[in-house]
Amino acid sequence: MSALPAEEPVNPYRTQPGGGPRTVTQLRAALTAASTADREEFEAQLGELDLDNPEEYGALVRMWRHRLVMRTRPEILAAVAASTDPAARRWTSDEILGADGHQEASR
């Protein structure tokens, strides 16, 4: 009998593989719901792509999926709001990364 592989914890600050819009139509709809200005900017950039450069197309889609996550995830919106709160606790890089420059496991 084999053990099931351990699931990696979901990082709410990263785009998850298979998560979010899966087609350009879905991405357009999600961008429209989040911000019409973002949708217009996406369309303008999409319209300028070289059809013979699939890497450029993939990079644009990844960028806009990431931007959508940044604009719609509650955890990220809360972190941004907290970062502008003058009473919020401030962390030093040593506290975040540890004195040796590596991220502490307890965080």
Side-chain angles (χ1 to χ4, degrees):
M1 179 191 253
S2 64
L4 294 174
E7 287 188 31
E8 291 186 34
V10 174
N11 183 340
Y13 306 104
R14 299 264 185 207
T15 304
Q16 302 302 315
R22 303 298 304 152
T23 67
V24 173
T25 299
Q26 291 173 351
L27 181 56
R28 283 179 170 136
L31 287 170
T32 299
S35 166
T36 53
D38 279 354
R39 163 70 189 270
E40 291 169 3
E41 188 177 344
F42 168 72
E43 292 295 341
Q45 291 176 3
L46 186 63
E48 295 299 316
L49 288 180
D50 178 351
L51 294 176
D52 292 326
N53 189 340
E55 292 83 20
E56 192 176 297
Y57 177 82
L60 181 72
V61 169
R62 281 189 301 279
M63 180 189 83
W64 280 98
R65 287 180 72 208
H66 179 74
R67 187 179 293 189
L68 183 64
V69 167
M70 297 298 290
R71 296 215 195 281
T72 59
R73 279 304 237 329
E75 301 94 339
I76 294 171
L77 296 173
V80 169
S83 74
T84 62
D85 178 0
R89 184 185 190 297
R90 301 293 183 232
W91 299 86
T92 67
S93 58
D94 282 345
E95 290 173 312
I96 295 168
L97 299 174
D100 62 356
H102 294 89
Q103 189 173 16
E104 293 180 24
S106 63
R107 297 221 190 265

